[in-house]
Amino acid sequence: MTELKLRLHIEGSPESIVPVTTDELIIGRLPECDICLPFSEVSRNHSRLFRGTGGKWFVEDMGSTNGTIVNQNLIVAARELQTDDAIQIGNAFIFVSLRDSEITKSTVVRDRNTILRNAEELQKQWLNVDKAHREEADSQRAIARLHYLVEISKDLSSAESIEAIFEKVKRVVFQEIQAIQRFTLLVDVAGNGELQPIEAASRHGLETSETHTYSWIGRSICKRVFEEKVAIKTVDAQEDERFEGEHSILAKGIRGALAVPIWDRDRVVGVLYADASLKLKGSDATEDEEDLSFFSTLANLVAYSVQRWLLTRKLQEEAKIRQQLERYHSPGVVQQLIAVGALENGRLEPKEAEISIIFADIVGFSDMSERMTPQQIAQLLDRFFEEMLQYVFARGGTLDKFIGDCIMAFFGAPEPQADHADRAVMAALEMLQRLDRLNEAKIWEQPLQLHVGINSGKAVVGDVGSSQRVDYTVLGSAVNLASRLEMICPPNECTISDATYALLHKKDGFYLVGERNFKGIHRRIPVYQTRRHKKREIKS
């Protein structure tokens, strides 16, 4: 006698198992039906499942308005059921599983439910279509599929987006493997072993929230395929000891599935996964594995296109990161950051570093701007920043921000620089020298002068801000002291702290002008200054 097992899939609900304890089940909209489907497209008594002569099971329509569909065909008379038949009633699907009652679960050979094969071996097996034990019709089908794969490989090579890749693969999958019901492409986008579903489709047109929330995917199956580079075809994963204890399989009622790795050479970049109405015939292993090996070969072709998409995506992200970083860093520093992958989650995490901070501010800019139009102010600052910033970047410095007419920059981060104090001082002196030449050339209506202050010490450096806006900046008392040194600096000179002076390899050009008290600092700070113009003492 044949036992009947049913799995019910209703749009928007997880798949469930329907217990069968009688020889007849009525399916309909009425509450007293054995399987109640309370939907308007379902008739009150819609369909009947019954055990007939010889213990076989049949399905028949009971004169319903919309009919009963089996394997996408509308039935007009009672039809004998086969394992993996799909009965459609409205938007509900009932999947059939049959087995002889004499074979108890304890005696079932689990390997009869699942094929697990090395993906590379499967590919070689499928491509060898001339094996003597294959029937001529099977060989012709394999050859036809091979030609089809050659054509689809040409289409894949021209696909620009991951969506276009999926569309081309979907067409082949649904045409060549009739048992597949739903199909998805999962990719290791971040390169960390975490698979992300990219697109999904359903043969029956169930483009519902469930299809695209991917709740039907057997994650444990995909994980094994990805990590072990194996191809899996399972008729019933729940009855396979290799998947015992897998919560996702038990919770989702996963049954038939095809899953193969997307691989090229030694790298696996993703998984093709499908849930399906599958059969294992058992008499011929080659015949059982044909769809699996074809699916695996298709995944191998897809690998090149997926890798090309991943590379394009990476280059686009790097270009975006580079554009963002070049606002702050010299080209050399930007290249180092990208090379070592310093941007984790797209941000430079704040950390403590030994740095030198420079503030360069135009003398008397507020008074000057009152005599200028907004456009003139913008033009002046654009030229000024362009001219001065080149020396910061040339010495490997990082722009923190523009504060009105002031440049705030630092050296020693994000990449450590043992000579950060030397770099900061050289950049400051070069800025002052360049400003002298620009003034001699009368670039501006009146000469510009600079206050420049530099301090060295520990500071917190990194991206700071909210989810809406992040700034790469430095924080700490060392920054505050550099700002105050700029405020006391005479025009066209450079004022530095004792901490900076102590780090300089060449101290020529600076002299001690005295000690100074600064707000928030509990000691007097020795201050040093350049000798570019007439000597000016800083009063204590």
Side-chain angles (χ1 to χ4, degrees), residues 284-315:
D284 187 345
T286 301
E287 186 177 359
D288 276 342
E289 294 175 5
E290 184 176 346
D291 283 345
L292 182 62
S293 56
F294 173 74
F295 201 41
S296 182
T297 303
L298 178 61
N300 190 227
L301 289 178
V302 172
Y304 170 75
S305 297
V306 171
Q307 285 186 327
R308 190 182 70 243
W309 173 73
L310 287 171
L311 178 59
T312 300
R313 188 175 184 272
K314 180 181 179 182
L315 292 174

PDB file of all heavy atoms in Angstrom, residues 284-315:
ATOM      1  N   ASP A 284      19.884   4.297 -12.249  1.00  0.00           N
ATOM      2  CA  ASP A 284      21.008   4.799 -13.042  1.00  0.00           C
ATOM      3  C   ASP A 284      21.509   6.082 -12.410  1.00  0.00           C
ATOM      4  O   ASP A 284      20.849   7.125 -12.495  1.00  0.00           O
ATOM      5  CB  ASP A 284      20.560   5.051 -14.491  1.00  0.00           C
ATOM      6  CG  ASP A 284      21.739   5.420 -15.393  1.00  0.00           C
ATOM      7  OD1 ASP A 284      22.810   5.759 -14.861  1.00  0.00           O
ATOM      8  OD2 ASP A 284      21.567   5.353 -16.627  1.00  0.00           O
ATOM      9  N   ALA A 285      22.660   6.032 -11.745  1.00  0.00           N
ATOM     10  CA  ALA A 285      23.194   7.197 -11.044  1.00  0.00           C
ATOM     11  C   ALA A 285      23.449   8.339 -12.000  1.00  0.00           C
ATOM     12  O   ALA A 285      23.245   9.498 -11.672  1.00  0.00           O
ATOM     13  CB  ALA A 285      24.485   6.815 -10.316  1.00  0.00           C
ATOM     14  N   THR A 286      23.886   8.001 -13.220  1.00  0.00           N
ATOM     15  CA  THR A 286      24.168   9.053 -14.200  1.00  0.00           C
ATOM     16  C   THR A 286      22.904   9.818 -14.556  1.00  0.00           C
ATOM     17  O   THR A 286      22.898  11.041 -14.658  1.00  0.00           O
ATOM     18  CB  THR A 286      24.784   8.447 -15.477  1.00  0.00           C
ATOM     19  OG1 THR A 286      25.973   7.765 -15.132  1.00  0.00           O
ATOM     20  CG2 THR A 286      25.091   9.534 -16.492  1.00  0.00           C
ATOM     21  N   GLU A 287      21.800   9.086 -14.728  1.00  0.00           N
ATOM     22  CA  GLU A 287      20.534   9.737 -15.055  1.00  0.00           C
ATOM     23  C   GLU A 287      20.055  10.593 -13.892  1.00  0.00           C
ATOM     24  O   GLU A 287      19.551  11.695 -14.080  1.00  0.00           O
ATOM     25  CB  GLU A 287      19.493   8.681 -15.399  1.00  0.00           C
ATOM     26  CG  GLU A 287      18.171   9.260 -15.891  1.00  0.00           C
ATOM     27  CD  GLU A 287      17.195   8.175 -16.291  1.00  0.00           C
ATOM     28  OE1 GLU A 287      17.559   6.978 -16.207  1.00  0.00           O
ATOM     29  OE2 GLU A 287      16.073   8.522 -16.668  1.00  0.00           O
ATOM     30  N   ASP A 288      20.232  10.102 -12.653  1.00  0.00           N
ATOM     31  CA  ASP A 288      19.833  10.863 -11.479  1.00  0.00           C
ATOM     32  C   ASP A 288      20.605  12.177 -11.365  1.00  0.00           C
ATOM     33  O   ASP A 288      20.083  13.180 -10.882  1.00  0.00           O
ATOM     34  CB  ASP A 288      20.056  10.040 -10.206  1.00  0.00           C
ATOM     35  CG  ASP A 288      18.892   9.102  -9.927  1.00  0.00           C
ATOM     36  OD1 ASP A 288      17.813   9.335 -10.487  1.00  0.00           O
ATOM     37  OD2 ASP A 288      19.080   8.150  -9.154  1.00  0.00           O
ATOM     38  N   GLU A 289      21.863  12.148 -11.784  1.00  0.00           N
ATOM     39  CA  GLU A 289      22.733  13.302 -11.592  1.00  0.00           C
ATOM     40  C   GLU A 289      22.742  14.263 -12.774  1.00  0.00           C
ATOM     41  O   GLU A 289      23.410  15.290 -12.728  1.00  0.00           O
ATOM     42  CB  GLU A 289      24.170  12.822 -11.328  1.00  0.00           C
ATOM     43  CG  GLU A 289      24.319  12.064 -10.026  1.00  0.00           C
ATOM     44  CD  GLU A 289      25.715  11.493  -9.861  1.00  0.00           C
ATOM     45  OE1 GLU A 289      26.574  11.788 -10.722  1.00  0.00           O
ATOM     46  OE2 GLU A 289      25.958  10.771  -8.891  1.00  0.00           O
ATOM     47  N   GLU A 290      22.020  13.958 -13.835  1.00  0.00           N
ATOM     48  CA  GLU A 290      22.128  14.757 -15.051  1.00  0.00           C
ATOM     49  C   GLU A 290      21.748  16.219 -14.834  1.00  0.00           C
ATOM     50  O   GLU A 290      22.497  17.134 -15.226  1.00  0.00           O
ATOM     51  CB  GLU A 290      21.253  14.160 -16.162  1.00  0.00           C
ATOM     52  CG  GLU A 290      21.413  14.893 -17.482  1.00  0.00           C
ATOM     53  CD  GLU A 290      20.627  14.236 -18.592  1.00  0.00           C
ATOM     54  OE1 GLU A 290      20.191  13.085 -18.415  1.00  0.00           O
ATOM     55  OE2 GLU A 290      20.450  14.890 -19.627  1.00  0.00           O
ATOM     56  N   ASP A 291      20.588  16.456 -14.214  1.00  0.00           N
ATOM     57  CA  ASP A 291      20.180  17.846 -13.973  1.00  0.00           C
ATOM     58  C   ASP A 291      21.131  18.541 -13.010  1.00  0.00           C
ATOM     59  O   ASP A 291      21.440  19.724 -13.169  1.00  0.00           O
ATOM     60  CB  ASP A 291      18.755  17.894 -13.415  1.00  0.00           C
ATOM     61  CG  ASP A 291      17.708  17.664 -14.484  1.00  0.00           C
ATOM     62  OD1 ASP A 291      18.064  17.757 -15.683  1.00  0.00           O
ATOM     63  OD2 ASP A 291      16.546  17.381 -14.139  1.00  0.00           O
ATOM     64  N   LEU A 292      21.586  17.806 -11.996  1.00  0.00           N
ATOM     65  CA  LEU A 292      22.504  18.389 -11.032  1.00  0.00           C
ATOM     66  C   LEU A 292      23.811  18.792 -11.698  1.00  0.00           C
ATOM     67  O   LEU A 292      24.341  19.886 -11.457  1.00  0.00           O
ATOM     68  CB  LEU A 292      22.776  17.399  -9.894  1.00  0.00           C
ATOM     69  CG  LEU A 292      23.700  17.893  -8.779  1.00  0.00           C
ATOM     70  CD1 LEU A 292      23.112  19.099  -8.075  1.00  0.00           C
ATOM     71  CD2 LEU A 292      23.977  16.764  -7.777  1.00  0.00           C
ATOM     72  N   SER A 293      24.349  17.926 -12.557  1.00  0.00           N
ATOM     73  CA  SER A 293      25.607  18.245 -13.220  1.00  0.00           C
ATOM     74  C   SER A 293      25.432  19.372 -14.225  1.00  0.00           C
ATOM     75  O   SER A 293      26.311  20.213 -14.396  1.00  0.00           O
ATOM     76  CB  SER A 293      26.184  16.998 -13.896  1.00  0.00           C
ATOM     77  OG  SER A 293      25.261  16.443 -14.801  1.00  0.00           O
ATOM     78  N   PHE A 294      24.276  19.418 -14.905  1.00  0.00           N
ATOM     79  CA  PHE A 294      23.999  20.527 -15.819  1.00  0.00           C
ATOM     80  C   PHE A 294      23.897  21.841 -15.044  1.00  0.00           C
ATOM     81  O   PHE A 294      24.461  22.871 -15.450  1.00  0.00           O
ATOM     82  CB  PHE A 294      22.695  20.271 -16.576  1.00  0.00           C
ATOM     83  CG  PHE A 294      22.243  21.430 -17.417  1.00  0.00           C
ATOM     84  CD1 PHE A 294      22.890  21.741 -18.604  1.00  0.00           C
ATOM     85  CD2 PHE A 294      21.184  22.236 -17.016  1.00  0.00           C
ATOM     86  CE1 PHE A 294      22.484  22.809 -19.382  1.00  0.00           C
ATOM     87  CE2 PHE A 294      20.775  23.306 -17.788  1.00  0.00           C
ATOM     88  CZ  PHE A 294      21.419  23.593 -18.977  1.00  0.00           C
ATOM     89  N   PHE A 295      23.208  21.816 -13.923  1.00  0.00           N
ATOM     90  CA  PHE A 295      23.063  22.991 -13.060  1.00  0.00           C
ATOM     91  C   PHE A 295      24.433  23.455 -12.565  1.00  0.00           C
ATOM     92  O   PHE A 295      24.740  24.643 -12.513  1.00  0.00           O
ATOM     93  CB  PHE A 295      22.164  22.618 -11.877  1.00  0.00           C
ATOM     94  CG  PHE A 295      21.510  23.784 -11.186  1.00  0.00           C
ATOM     95  CD1 PHE A 295      20.984  24.850 -11.893  1.00  0.00           C
ATOM     96  CD2 PHE A 295      21.405  23.812  -9.797  1.00  0.00           C
ATOM     97  CE1 PHE A 295      20.367  25.912 -11.253  1.00  0.00           C
ATOM     98  CE2 PHE A 295      20.795  24.864  -9.142  1.00  0.00           C
ATOM     99  CZ  PHE A 295      20.276  25.919  -9.881  1.00  0.00           C
ATOM    100  N   SER A 296      25.285  22.470 -12.217  1.00  0.00           N
ATOM    101  CA  SER A 296      26.623  22.787 -11.736  1.00  0.00           C
ATOM    102  C   SER A 296      27.479  23.403 -12.843  1.00  0.00           C
ATOM    103  O   SER A 296      28.229  24.355 -12.611  1.00  0.00           O
ATOM    104  CB  SER A 296      27.295  21.515 -11.194  1.00  0.00           C
ATOM    105  OG  SER A 296      28.576  21.805 -10.681  1.00  0.00           O
ATOM    106  N   THR A 297      27.365  22.879 -14.054  1.00  0.00           N
ATOM    107  CA  THR A 297      28.129  23.430 -15.177  1.00  0.00           C
ATOM    108  C   THR A 297      27.665  24.844 -15.501  1.00  0.00           C
ATOM    109  O   THR A 297      28.472  25.724 -15.809  1.00  0.00           O
ATOM    110  CB  THR A 297      27.970  22.524 -16.412  1.00  0.00           C
ATOM    111  OG1 THR A 297      28.392  21.198 -16.090  1.00  0.00           O
ATOM    112  CG2 THR A 297      28.806  23.039 -17.577  1.00  0.00           C
ATOM    113  N   LEU A 298      26.362  25.065 -15.424  1.00  0.00           N
ATOM    114  CA  LEU A 298      25.828  26.405 -15.642  1.00  0.00           C
ATOM    115  C   LEU A 298      26.398  27.383 -14.613  1.00  0.00           C
ATOM    116  O   LEU A 298      26.786  28.508 -14.941  1.00  0.00           O
ATOM    117  CB  LEU A 298      24.300  26.376 -15.564  1.00  0.00           C
ATOM    118  CG  LEU A 298      23.578  27.726 -15.733  1.00  0.00           C
ATOM    119  CD1 LEU A 298      23.870  28.316 -17.095  1.00  0.00           C
ATOM    120  CD2 LEU A 298      22.076  27.547 -15.524  1.00  0.00           C
ATOM    121  N   ALA A 299      26.473  26.938 -13.352  1.00  0.00           N
ATOM    122  CA  ALA A 299      27.027  27.795 -12.298  1.00  0.00           C
ATOM    123  C   ALA A 299      28.479  28.138 -12.579  1.00  0.00           C
ATOM    124  O   ALA A 299      28.935  29.256 -12.302  1.00  0.00           O
ATOM    125  CB  ALA A 299      26.906  27.098 -10.945  1.00  0.00           C
ATOM    126  N   ASN A 300      29.212  27.190 -13.142  1.00  0.00           N
ATOM    127  CA  ASN A 300      30.612  27.439 -13.476  1.00  0.00           C
ATOM    128  C   ASN A 300      30.739  28.516 -14.552  1.00  0.00           C
ATOM    129  O   ASN A 300      31.638  29.362 -14.517  1.00  0.00           O
ATOM    130  CB  ASN A 300      31.269  26.135 -13.941  1.00  0.00           C
ATOM    131  CG  ASN A 300      32.769  26.260 -14.070  1.00  0.00           C
ATOM    132  OD1 ASN A 300      33.337  25.844 -15.065  1.00  0.00           O
ATOM    133  ND2 ASN A 300      33.419  26.821 -13.076  1.00  0.00           N
ATOM    134  N   LEU A 301      29.808  28.508 -15.517  1.00  0.00           N
ATOM    135  CA  LEU A 301      29.802  29.560 -16.539  1.00  0.00           C
ATOM    136  C   LEU A 301      29.426  30.910 -15.946  1.00  0.00           C
ATOM    137  O   LEU A 301      29.983  31.942 -16.317  1.00  0.00           O
ATOM    138  CB  LEU A 301      28.804  29.200 -17.653  1.00  0.00           C
ATOM    139  CG  LEU A 301      29.178  28.042 -18.580  1.00  0.00           C
ATOM    140  CD1 LEU A 301      28.060  27.798 -19.582  1.00  0.00           C
ATOM    141  CD2 LEU A 301      30.481  28.322 -19.308  1.00  0.00           C
ATOM    142  N   VAL A 302      28.492  30.886 -15.015  1.00  0.00           N
ATOM    143  CA  VAL A 302      28.044  32.130 -14.380  1.00  0.00           C
ATOM    144  C   VAL A 302      29.170  32.761 -13.568  1.00  0.00           C
ATOM    145  O   VAL A 302      29.227  33.986 -13.419  1.00  0.00           O
ATOM    146  CB  VAL A 302      26.821  31.849 -13.481  1.00  0.00           C
ATOM    147  CG1 VAL A 302      26.454  33.072 -12.651  1.00  0.00           C
ATOM    148  CG2 VAL A 302      25.634  31.419 -14.332  1.00  0.00           C
ATOM    149  N   ALA A 303      30.090  31.934 -13.068  1.00  0.00           N
ATOM    150  CA  ALA A 303      31.135  32.426 -12.171  1.00  0.00           C
ATOM    151  C   ALA A 303      31.922  33.576 -12.780  1.00  0.00           C
ATOM    152  O   ALA A 303      32.212  34.564 -12.106  1.00  0.00           O
ATOM    153  CB  ALA A 303      32.077  31.288 -11.786  1.00  0.00           C
ATOM    154  N   TYR A 304      32.284  33.456 -14.054  1.00  0.00           N
ATOM    155  CA  TYR A 304      33.069  34.518 -14.691  1.00  0.00           C
ATOM    156  C   TYR A 304      32.307  35.838 -14.683  1.00  0.00           C
ATOM    157  O   TYR A 304      32.863  36.887 -14.355  1.00  0.00           O
ATOM    158  CB  TYR A 304      33.425  34.131 -16.122  1.00  0.00           C
ATOM    159  CG  TYR A 304      34.025  35.264 -16.915  1.00  0.00           C
ATOM    160  CD1 TYR A 304      35.346  35.668 -16.699  1.00  0.00           C
ATOM    161  CD2 TYR A 304      33.273  35.956 -17.862  1.00  0.00           C
ATOM    162  CE1 TYR A 304      35.891  36.727 -17.415  1.00  0.00           C
ATOM    163  CE2 TYR A 304      33.813  37.008 -18.581  1.00  0.00           C
ATOM    164  CZ  TYR A 304      35.124  37.389 -18.354  1.00  0.00           C
ATOM    165  OH  TYR A 304      35.660  38.438 -19.050  1.00  0.00           O
ATOM    166  N   SER A 305      31.014  35.771 -15.025  1.00  0.00           N
ATOM    167  CA  SER A 305      30.204  36.998 -15.061  1.00  0.00           C
ATOM    168  C   SER A 305      30.032  37.588 -13.674  1.00  0.00           C
ATOM    169  O   SER A 305      30.082  38.811 -13.494  1.00  0.00           O
ATOM    170  CB  SER A 305      28.828  36.700 -15.679  1.00  0.00           C
ATOM    171  OG  SER A 305      28.964  36.275 -17.012  1.00  0.00           O
ATOM    172  N   VAL A 306      29.839  36.733 -12.683  1.00  0.00           N
ATOM    173  CA  VAL A 306      29.680  37.216 -11.310  1.00  0.00           C
ATOM    174  C   VAL A 306      30.977  37.840 -10.813  1.00  0.00           C
ATOM    175  O   VAL A 306      30.972  38.903 -10.173  1.00  0.00           O
ATOM    176  CB  VAL A 306      29.233  36.073 -10.376  1.00  0.00           C
ATOM    177  CG1 VAL A 306      29.277  36.521  -8.920  1.00  0.00           C
ATOM    178  CG2 VAL A 306      27.827  35.618 -10.742  1.00  0.00           C
ATOM    179  N   GLN A 307      32.111  37.199 -11.116  1.00  0.00           N
ATOM    180  CA  GLN A 307      33.397  37.768 -10.706  1.00  0.00           C
ATOM    181  C   GLN A 307      33.651  39.103 -11.395  1.00  0.00           C
ATOM    182  O   GLN A 307      34.188  40.027 -10.789  1.00  0.00           O
ATOM    183  CB  GLN A 307      34.527  36.788 -11.003  1.00  0.00           C
ATOM    184  CG  GLN A 307      34.574  35.625 -10.032  1.00  0.00           C
ATOM    185  CD  GLN A 307      35.789  34.751 -10.256  1.00  0.00           C
ATOM    186  OE1 GLN A 307      36.251  34.583 -11.375  1.00  0.00           O
ATOM    187  NE2 GLN A 307      36.310  34.187  -9.188  1.00  0.00           N
ATOM    188  N   ARG A 308      33.255  39.204 -12.665  1.00  0.00           N
ATOM    189  CA  ARG A 308      33.401  40.475 -13.371  1.00  0.00           C
ATOM    190  C   ARG A 308      32.543  41.557 -12.719  1.00  0.00           C
ATOM    191  O   ARG A 308      32.972  42.703 -12.549  1.00  0.00           O
ATOM    192  CB  ARG A 308      33.011  40.323 -14.842  1.00  0.00           C
ATOM    193  CG  ARG A 308      33.359  41.552 -15.697  1.00  0.00           C
ATOM    194  CD  ARG A 308      32.922  41.401 -17.130  1.00  0.00           C
ATOM    195  NE  ARG A 308      31.471  41.440 -17.261  1.00  0.00           N
ATOM    196  CZ  ARG A 308      30.746  40.428 -17.705  1.00  0.00           C
ATOM    197  NH1 ARG A 308      31.328  39.300 -18.069  1.00  0.00           N
ATOM    198  NH2 ARG A 308      29.435  40.524 -17.800  1.00  0.00           N
ATOM    199  N   TRP A 309      31.329  41.187 -12.316  1.00  0.00           N
ATOM    200  CA  TRP A 309      30.444  42.134 -11.636  1.00  0.00           C
ATOM    201  C   TRP A 309      31.026  42.545 -10.291  1.00  0.00           C
ATOM    202  O   TRP A 309      31.010  43.720  -9.929  1.00  0.00           O
ATOM    203  CB  TRP A 309      29.072  41.499 -11.429  1.00  0.00           C
ATOM    204  CG  TRP A 309      28.160  42.327 -10.586  1.00  0.00           C
ATOM    205  CD1 TRP A 309      27.522  43.486 -10.931  1.00  0.00           C
ATOM    206  CD2 TRP A 309      27.800  42.071  -9.224  1.00  0.00           C
ATOM    207  NE1 TRP A 309      26.785  43.954  -9.871  1.00  0.00           N
ATOM    208  CE2 TRP A 309      26.930  43.114  -8.811  1.00  0.00           C
ATOM    209  CE3 TRP A 309      28.116  41.060  -8.322  1.00  0.00           C
ATOM    210  CZ2 TRP A 309      26.389  43.160  -7.537  1.00  0.00           C
ATOM    211  CZ3 TRP A 309      27.573  41.108  -7.045  1.00  0.00           C
ATOM    212  CH2 TRP A 309      26.722  42.149  -6.672  1.00  0.00           C
ATOM    213  N   LEU A 310      31.574  41.569  -9.534  1.00  0.00           N
ATOM    214  CA  LEU A 310      32.184  41.890  -8.250  1.00  0.00           C
ATOM    215  C   LEU A 310      33.376  42.825  -8.419  1.00  0.00           C
ATOM    216  O   LEU A 310      33.573  43.752  -7.628  1.00  0.00           O
ATOM    217  CB  LEU A 310      32.623  40.604  -7.549  1.00  0.00           C
ATOM    218  CG  LEU A 310      31.508  39.721  -6.969  1.00  0.00           C
ATOM    219  CD1 LEU A 310      32.079  38.395  -6.498  1.00  0.00           C
ATOM    220  CD2 LEU A 310      30.790  40.428  -5.827  1.00  0.00           C
ATOM    221  N   LEU A 311      34.180  42.577  -9.467  1.00  0.00           N
ATOM    222  CA  LEU A 311      35.341  43.434  -9.713  1.00  0.00           C
ATOM    223  C   LEU A 311      34.890  44.845 -10.074  1.00  0.00           C
ATOM    224  O   LEU A 311      35.448  45.828  -9.568  1.00  0.00           O
ATOM    225  CB  LEU A 311      36.203  42.850 -10.834  1.00  0.00           C
ATOM    226  CG  LEU A 311      37.430  43.680 -11.237  1.00  0.00           C
ATOM    227  CD1 LEU A 311      38.363  43.869 -10.038  1.00  0.00           C
ATOM    228  CD2 LEU A 311      38.164  43.022 -12.394  1.00  0.00           C
ATOM    229  N   THR A 312      33.892  44.949 -10.947  1.00  0.00           N
ATOM    230  CA  THR A 312      33.365  46.273 -11.325  1.00  0.00           C
ATOM    231  C   THR A 312      32.827  46.992 -10.102  1.00  0.00           C
ATOM    232  O   THR A 312      33.067  48.194  -9.914  1.00  0.00           O
ATOM    233  CB  THR A 312      32.252  46.118 -12.373  1.00  0.00           C
ATOM    234  OG1 THR A 312      32.786  45.463 -13.527  1.00  0.00           O
ATOM    235  CG2 THR A 312      31.708  47.486 -12.779  1.00  0.00           C
ATOM    236  N   ARG A 313      32.108  46.257  -9.262  1.00  0.00           N
ATOM    237  CA  ARG A 313      31.554  46.852  -8.047  1.00  0.00           C
ATOM    238  C   ARG A 313      32.665  47.335  -7.121  1.00  0.00           C
ATOM    239  O   ARG A 313      32.584  48.426  -6.541  1.00  0.00           O
ATOM    240  CB  ARG A 313      30.690  45.805  -7.343  1.00  0.00           C
ATOM    241  CG  ARG A 313      29.881  46.310  -6.163  1.00  0.00           C
ATOM    242  CD  ARG A 313      28.981  45.183  -5.667  1.00  0.00           C
ATOM    243  NE  ARG A 313      28.116  45.651  -4.594  1.00  0.00           N
ATOM    244  CZ  ARG A 313      28.436  45.657  -3.318  1.00  0.00           C
ATOM    245  NH1 ARG A 313      29.623  45.210  -2.953  1.00  0.00           N
ATOM    246  NH2 ARG A 313      27.592  46.097  -2.404  1.00  0.00           N
ATOM    247  N   LYS A 314      33.725  46.524  -6.990  1.00  0.00           N
ATOM    248  CA  LYS A 314      34.847  46.900  -6.146  1.00  0.00           C
ATOM    249  C   LYS A 314      35.534  48.151  -6.672  1.00  0.00           C
ATOM    250  O   LYS A 314      35.888  49.060  -5.902  1.00  0.00           O
ATOM    251  CB  LYS A 314      35.846  45.747  -6.068  1.00  0.00           C
ATOM    252  CG  LYS A 314      37.064  46.050  -5.207  1.00  0.00           C
ATOM    253  CD  LYS A 314      38.028  44.873  -5.186  1.00  0.00           C
ATOM    254  CE  LYS A 314      39.258  45.198  -4.354  1.00  0.00           C
ATOM    255  NZ  LYS A 314      40.240  44.086  -4.363  1.00  0.00           N
ATOM    256  N   LEU A 315      35.730  48.218  -8.000  1.00  0.00           N
ATOM    257  CA  LEU A 315      36.375  49.383  -8.594  1.00  0.00           C
ATOM    258  C   LEU A 315      35.536  50.638  -8.401  1.00  0.00           C
ATOM    259  O   LEU A 315      36.059  51.726  -8.144  1.00  0.00           O
ATOM    260  CB  LEU A 315      36.635  49.138 -10.084  1.00  0.00           C
ATOM    261  CG  LEU A 315      37.689  48.073 -10.415  1.00  0.00           C
ATOM    262  CD1 LEU A 315      37.744  47.834 -11.913  1.00  0.00           C
ATOM    263  CD2 LEU A 315      39.056  48.478  -9.881  1.00  0.00           C
TER     264      LEU A 315
END
